[in-house]
Amino acid sequence: MDSLTQKEQERLRKIKAAKDKSHEARQGQEKGLYVLFTGLGKGKTSSAMNLVYRHLAHDRPCAVVQFVKNSQAYPDGDRLLLTKLSQQGFPVNIHTLGGGFTWETQNPEQDRQMAAAAWQQAVDYIQDPEISLVVLDELHIALKNKQLEVEPILAAIQARPPLSHVVTTGRYAPEVLIEAADLVTEMTRVKHPISQGVPAQLGIEF
């Protein structure tokens, strides 16, 4: 391997010094974050669940509330794993409280009632300072379908305890939530096997 020139070494030293200084300046500035995953691409729930797994690796309590999704529809891998982890003593709770997508339920009033119940469960977790991370999975879809109002949701997220994190997922995130979030990632769909006639598969989609 070729050795670095003196000029290259000096450039890298300066970069490291700047990075170290920036890192040091951020210490002590920790805060609870509002993280938002949206977009038409795959990976929104997966990204949120990875944050749950990271929290659990550090023994930090988490809660997941899933809107819209029906616990009877699919043997959802995330739900099954978190249930198993909870049974083994990991500090996590997961609630799948939806009735299914609107074309499946065909019952708007029931959908609104189930979304309201899910939101009330979510509020209890958001307000609890002992819960380090709360994931509101598919919340954006419940909002798009007018099953919930965005104003009380935004107010609750903004009033969370200072070091508590909240994550919301789903396509079509409202602009008001995007503006309020500390971290926003939009998943872009480039290719998906469904366009080739491949169905949702265990271990990939659920």
Side-chain angles (χ1 to χ4, degrees):
M1 180 182 294
D2 295 336
S3 59
L4 295 174
T5 66
Q6 184 174 356
K7 183 177 181 181
E8 290 170 334
Q9 290 177 345
E10 181 61 25
R11 181 180 67 85
L12 293 176
R13 278 196 292 269
K14 288 181 179 179
I15 291 175
K16 184 180 186 307
K19 296 286 187 182
D20 289 346
K21 182 177 181 181
S22 178
H23 176 75
E24 183 178 351
R26 291 194 297 270
Q27 299 311 299
Q29 304 299 317
E30 293 82 2
K31 56 171 282 190
L33 299 176
Y34 172 29
V35 179
L36 185 152
F37 297 116
T38 192
L40 300 180
K42 177 176 168 54
K44 299 176 287 294
T45 295
S46 300
S47 297
M49 292 300 178
N50 186 252
L51 298 182
V52 174
Y53 304 141
R54 288 180 178 179
H55 267 69
L56 295 179
H58 296 287
D59 298 317
R60 294 193 170 189
C62 304
V64 177
V65 179
Q66 293 186 303
F67 296 79
V68 181
K69 290 178 176 175
N70 180 354
S71 62
Q72 305 303 313
Y74 295 101
D76 183 73
D78 291 310
R79 183 178 71 252
L80 295 176
L81 179 57
L82 292 182
T83 299
K84 291 177 182 179
L85 291 176
S86 177
Q87 292 169 348
Q88 293 178 18
F90 286 84
V92 60
N93 292 298
I94 181 165
H95 307 267
T96 303
L97 300 176
F101 293 99
T102 53
W103 61 86
E104 296 170 333
T105 65
Q106 302 178 32
N107 190 334
E109 181 55 33
Q110 175 182 286
D111 293 341
R112 282 191 289 270
Q113 292 176 4
M114 296 185 78
W119 172 242
Q120 189 53 60
Q121 177 66 78
V123 169
D124 292 343
Y125 284 129
I126 293 171
Q127 294 175 343
D128 185 349
E130 298 301 316
I131 304 296
S132 181
L133 173 70
V134 180
V135 173
L136 309 179
D137 188 34
E138 300 294 0
L139 173 68
H140 307 156
I141 297 299
L143 288 168
K144 181 178 185 297
N145 292 339
K146 303 188 184 305
Q147 296 167 5
L148 295 167
E149 297 294 329
V150 71
E151 290 79 8
I153 290 171
L154 177 59
I157 291 174
Q158 292 179 325
R160 67 190 181 278
L163 294 177
S164 296
H165 308 292
V166 174
V167 181
T168 63
T169 78
R171 299 180 178 193
Y172 315 117
E175 188 62 33
V176 65
L177 293 187
I178 292 174
E179 292 177 0
D182 298 289
L183 188 161
V184 177
T185 297
E186 181 176 3
M187 309 295 180
T188 300
R189 182 174 60 197
V190 178
K191 295 176 69 175
H192 196 292
I194 194 171
S195 63
Q196 305 167 23
V198 179
Q201 299 183 89
L202 188 147
I204 301 296
E205 277 79 25
F206 61 90

